């Protein structure tokens, strides 16, 4: 079974994020679900973004690094939207990553925003809705396609629809059918790692 670090989206560690982690746990995987916001949650993406960009925002990279230090190598780094930034950074910069699951976001692996090249042999799954204004409309889908073109161990799964944070069952935009398929594919990915 895999060990997974799942990093929440911009609204915080919502009940829907906890429910998603529990689905992976129910399949026998160990899932760490840190709360980078220390209990805060937000009702809208705009409110979450204001917190993340505010003067009082914590150093999210330092928090993620501290959590990662306690885990060691062999972890699958996973993130949802905002959480992908840290998950992808950890997957690309820490030796010994078992894999990565990037949900509803992807950071370019080349250019000014890149964390460096994708590590050779590290598998990755990327999931997003094909008309999501954030994922498809802000360059994440292009970054995902680039990653797939450069990494034979990369898979991109697109789901019909235009919802962001569709895998969070506690939000109005939740899509249960797409989430079920995402979970099925991610569980297959995790099972194939070892």
């Amino acid at each position: 079974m895999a060990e997974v670090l799942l990093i929440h989206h911009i609204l915080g560690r919502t009940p829907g994020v906890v429910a998603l982690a529990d689905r992976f746990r129910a399949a026998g995987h160990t899932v760490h679900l840190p709360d980078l916001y220390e209990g805060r949650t937000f009702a809208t993406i705009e409110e979450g973004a204001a917190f993340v960009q505010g003067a009082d925002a914590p150093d999210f990279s330092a928090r993620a690094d501290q959590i990662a230090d306690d885990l060691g190598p062999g972890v699958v780094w996973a993130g949802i939207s905002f959480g992908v930034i840290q998950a992808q950074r950890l997957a690309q910069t820490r030796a010994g990553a078992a894999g990565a699951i990037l949900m509803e976001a992807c950071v370019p692996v080349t250019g000014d925003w890149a964390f460096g090249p994708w590590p050779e042999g590290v598998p990755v799954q990327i999931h997003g809705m094909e008309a999501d204004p954030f994922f498809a409309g802000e360059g994440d889908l292009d970054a995902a396609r680039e990653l797939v073109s450069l990494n034979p161990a990369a898979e991109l799964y697109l789901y019909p629809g235009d919802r962001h944070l569709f895998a969070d069952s506690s939000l109005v935009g939740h899509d249960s059918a797409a989430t079920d398929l995402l979970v099925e594919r991610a569980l297959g990915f995790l099972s194939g790692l070892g």
Side-chain angles (χ1 to χ4, degrees), residues 17 34 98 118 126 141:
V17 173
W118 191 264
I126 309 152
L141 178 54

Side-chain angles (χ1 to χ4, degrees), residues 5 7 34 36 58-69 75-103 105-109 113-119 122 124 147:
L5 176 71
I7 303 176
L36 298 185
D59 184 336
F60 298 112
S61 293
R63 285 191 176 177
D65 285 339
Q66 182 178 22
I67 294 160
D69 288 344
V75 173
V76 176
W77 307 106
I80 307 167
S81 189
F82 166 76
V84 164
I85 296 168
Q86 297 305 326
Q88 188 170 341
R89 181 182 64 80
L90 292 167
Q92 288 187 241
T93 61
R94 291 198 168 237
I101 301 173
L102 312 178
M103 294 172 270
C106 186
V107 177
V109 291
W113 290 98
F115 301 119
W118 191 264
V122 175
V124 57
L147 177 52

Side-chain angles (χ1 to χ4, degrees), residues 146-173:
E146 178 189 37
L147 177 52
V148 169
S149 75
L150 297 173
N151 181 1
E155 302 170 303
L156 170 61
Y157 293 106
L158 294 176
Y159 303 83
D162 61 359
R163 299 177 188 175
H164 193 62
L165 307 181
F166 72 88
D168 185 325
S169 60
S170 65
L171 300 179
V172 173

Side-chain angles (χ1 to χ4, degrees), residues 31-66:
V31 181
H32 306 277
L33 184 58
D35 186 348
L36 298 185
Y37 289 3
E38 297 180 328
R40 293 178 188 91
T41 58
F42 299 95
T44 68
I45 290 172
E46 293 76 18
E47 290 173 9
F51 168 69
V52 167
Q53 297 166 2
D56 296 332
D59 184 336
F60 298 112
S61 293
R63 285 191 176 177
D65 285 339
Q66 182 178 22

